[in-house]
Amino acid sequence: MKSMAKSTLPLSLVYRLLEPGPVVLVSTSSGERTNIMTMSWHMMVDFELPILACVISNRGYSFEAVRRTREFVINIPTVDLAKKVVGCGNISGRSIDKFKKFGLTPSAAACVQAPLIEECYANLECKVIDTKLTTKYNIFICEVVKAWIDRSKTLPRTMHHRGNGKFVIDGETIKLPSRMK
Ligand SMILES: Cc1cc2nc3c(=O)[nH]c(=O)nc-3n(C[C@H](O)[C@H](O)[C@H](O)COP(=O)(O)O)c2cc1C
């Protein structure tokens, strides 16, 4: 058998190969306080209705707001917001107001108390529908109940996390006959 040219990858780095992206900003509201956290561990679970799974660590400030209010907004930023996106993931909202610190603008959502982040090109208002996996894995299953998009951005260049401060930015689009809608 031919010997393999590959070497082993530490299991702790496997996520970098499968990371779906795009990197998003999760906004929450718990009473008077609003907050933002950066999230890249999310996946679609169903189309219609759109159901997602999100990993929101119980070490962060956002966790308690999501657990208690059972709602949040997923805001999808483009690369022009990259520094703010990473900034929101490097600091906790326990001690600061990230809307102020990063100059982001909250605006009212239609179906949830959590604010939309205006600068992001799309916003998904989410309600938590299942917390069976939350205690064990910090996974919240949620349904998107309202979605907003800036249609003037025809080729939004979103960010995809590669680990260790590296991101891949959307580039070329190719079109193939695919049965997936
Ligand atoms: C690129 C990037 C991706 C991240 N993805 C996640 C994630 O998927 N889940 C998570 O719990 N934390 C993730 N984090 C870390 C949180 O954003 C970070 O712990 C943040 O400070 C939490 O804020 P909070 O304490 O205000 O909730 C990510 C951070 C970065 C920079």
Side-chain angles (χ1 to χ4, degrees), residues 35-41 55-57 60-62 88-89 91-93 98 161 167:
N35 190 31
I36 308 171
M37 74 160 251
T38 307
M39 175 177 77
S40 54
W41 289 9
V55 177
I56 298 178
S57 165
Y61 184 63
S62 302
C88 285
I91 192 165
S92 178
K98 294 192 217 179
H161 191 212
F167 297 85

Side-chain angles (χ1 to χ4, degrees), residues 83-134:
K83 285 193 177 149
K84 297 178 189 222
V85 170
V86 176
C88 285
N90 283 344
I91 192 165
S92 178
R94 270 191 198 92
S95 46
I96 58 145
D97 178 340
K98 294 192 217 179
F99 277 97
K100 281 211 180 103
K101 179 161 178 72
F102 296 105
L104 294 166
T105 316
S107 64
C111 305
V112 299
Q113 293 299 313
L116 311 179
I117 301 176
E118 233 171 79
E119 288 80 0
C120 291
Y121 97 96
N123 314 86
L124 310 176
E125 299 184 25
C126 298
K127 294 209 178 196
V128 174
I129 57 167
D130 192 338
T131 54
K132 283 190 206 77
L133 298 173
T134 305

Side-chain angles (χ1 to χ4, degrees), residues 32-95:
E32 294 296 286
R33 293 287 309 276
T34 55
N35 190 31
I36 308 171
M37 74 160 251
T38 307
M39 175 177 77
S40 54
W41 289 9
H42 55 79
M43 67 175 283
M44 289 305 302
V45 174
D46 207 347
F47 275 111
E48 246 179 290
L49 305 161
I51 309 284
L52 338 172
C54 298
V55 177
I56 298 178
S57 165
N58 60 9
R59 283 171 295 180
Y61 184 63
S62 302
F63 178 88
E64 200 44 38
V66 172
R67 201 189 57 78
R68 207 152 36 78
T69 63
R70 296 182 71 93
E71 52 178 51
F72 56 92
V73 178
I74 291 181
N75 304 272
I76 307 179
T78 39
V79 64
D80 46 304
L81 297 174
K83 285 193 177 149
K84 297 178 189 222
V85 170
V86 176
C88 285
N90 283 344
I91 192 165
S92 178
R94 270 191 198 92
S95 46

